[in-house]
Amino acid sequence: MPKAGIIYNDVKPIASSVAIELKDKLTSAGWDVYVTASISGILGYSQPDSPVVHTPIEGLTPPGFDSEMKFAVVLGGDGTVLAASRLVAPCGIPMLTVNTGHMGFLTETYLNLLPEAIEQAMAGEYEIEDRAMLTVKVLRRDEVIWEALCLNEMVLHREPLTCMCHFEIVVGKHSPVDIAADGIIVSTPTGSTAYSLSAGGPVITPGVPVLQLVPICPHSLASRALVFPDNEPVNIYPVNIPRLVMVVDGNGGCYILTEDRICLERSPYSARFIRLQSPEFFRVLREKLGWGLPHIAKPNSVELP
């Protein structure tokens, strides 16, 4: 009996109701179906009196989700997709992402097209696009106290008030660099269209094997976005700040103390997206962000005498 999964945003009534209907449909078609809410992939935030919330990367996978699962349907917006990727990436399960949110930059299809999309998925008529992920670890005296998979970006900043912070950053075996800024972002190509884009970083197409480092409001004209190979680890050391906050993919994080070290490496796990048609990244940029659209008004051509 083939096996499928459903991951849904239980905060959204439409996603919850569609999850029930979809389970019935797949079950009646002879599939073994496992259902879980995306909340299990949200890491949560630590508190000042409990600075670390630590769940091992492989410990987030829900019961019944394993490498035998043909695909998992993800019902929600981009935040749901980010959470779902943590749940299924260690098992290599492809995700059919269905937009029930707003932007839906990471989603493949819409609710009104779900019946046709499910038929394609059940028949195996799709391509799989692998997206690189990061392994983010916080070490205190060389002991891992927090870790997570990251599809978009890791952000390090100060709270509750924004002010200048100093970071010592080591990329691979290169010499350390010092950056003074409100914060820093380390993103994957997938995350290049998220926070790092708003902070002035470049858009990177998903298949390029690189990472990027983007300072947030740097205090120097020389501190700009840096793109480097993703086979080089990144180590970040906070300097002269009592406490910082690290946020991964916008839905989980922990406090960073001066004795801590943040280590980022390309993960051995990838987020696997089902594509019902050949992936076309520029089309998504046009539809979601308006990139490369022709100007509405063009000057009339003037004939020279």
Side-chain angles (χ1 to χ4, degrees), residues 78-91:
D78 289 334
T80 305
V81 176
L82 292 171
S85 66
R86 285 194 204 96
L87 301 178
V88 301
C91 300

Side-chain angles (χ1 to χ4, degrees), residues 152-163:
N152 265 0
E153 77 278 300
M154 183 282 308
V155 181
L156 186 62
H157 63 92
R158 184 178 178 180
E159 73 163 15
L161 301 176
T162 299
C163 73

Side-chain angles (χ1 to χ4, degrees), residues 33-45:
V33 183
Y34 292 82
V35 182
T36 188
S38 62
I39 188 67
S40 57
I42 295 178
L43 301 171
Y45 296 91

Side-chain angles (χ1 to χ4, degrees), residues 212-227:
Q212 66 170 317
L213 170 68
V214 182
I216 303 172
C217 298
H219 192 58
S220 170
L221 293 176
S223 294
R224 289 296 176 260
L226 174 69
V227 178

Side-chain angles (χ1 to χ4, degrees), residues 4-8 18-20 22-24 26 33-37 65 69 71-75:
I6 299 173
I7 302 171
Y8 68 100
V18 171
I20 296 172
L22 184 56
K23 180 182 179 182
D24 293 340
L26 289 169
V33 183
Y34 292 82
V35 182
T36 188
F65 285 70
M69 187 169 281
F71 60 85
V73 181
V74 180
L75 301 167

Side-chain angles (χ1 to χ4, degrees), residues 202-286:
V203 174
I204 301 174
T205 55
V208 182
V210 297
L211 302 175
Q212 66 170 317
L213 170 68
V214 182
I216 303 172
C217 298
H219 192 58
S220 170
L221 293 176
S223 294
R224 289 296 176 260
L226 174 69
V227 178
F228 53 92
D230 66 3
N231 61 356
E232 297 187 300
V234 181
N235 284 279
I236 303 172
Y237 304 83
V239 180
N240 297 331
I241 293 293
R243 189 177 73 196
L244 296 174
V245 173
M246 182 186 69
V247 180
V248 173
D249 280 348
N251 62 22
C254 71
Y255 286 102
I256 304 297
L257 307 182
T258 52
E259 65 263 32
D260 296 341
R261 169 169 63 96
I262 301 172
C263 180
L264 303 99
E265 298 179 288
R266 176 164 178 166
S267 173
Y269 307 126
S270 298
R272 312 188 72 206
F273 287 86
I274 287 178
R275 301 304 185 199
L276 303 174
Q277 53 186 340
S278 295
E280 213 286 84
F281 184 65
F282 287 179
R283 175 183 59 81
V284 177
L285 285 182
R286 287 193 301 272

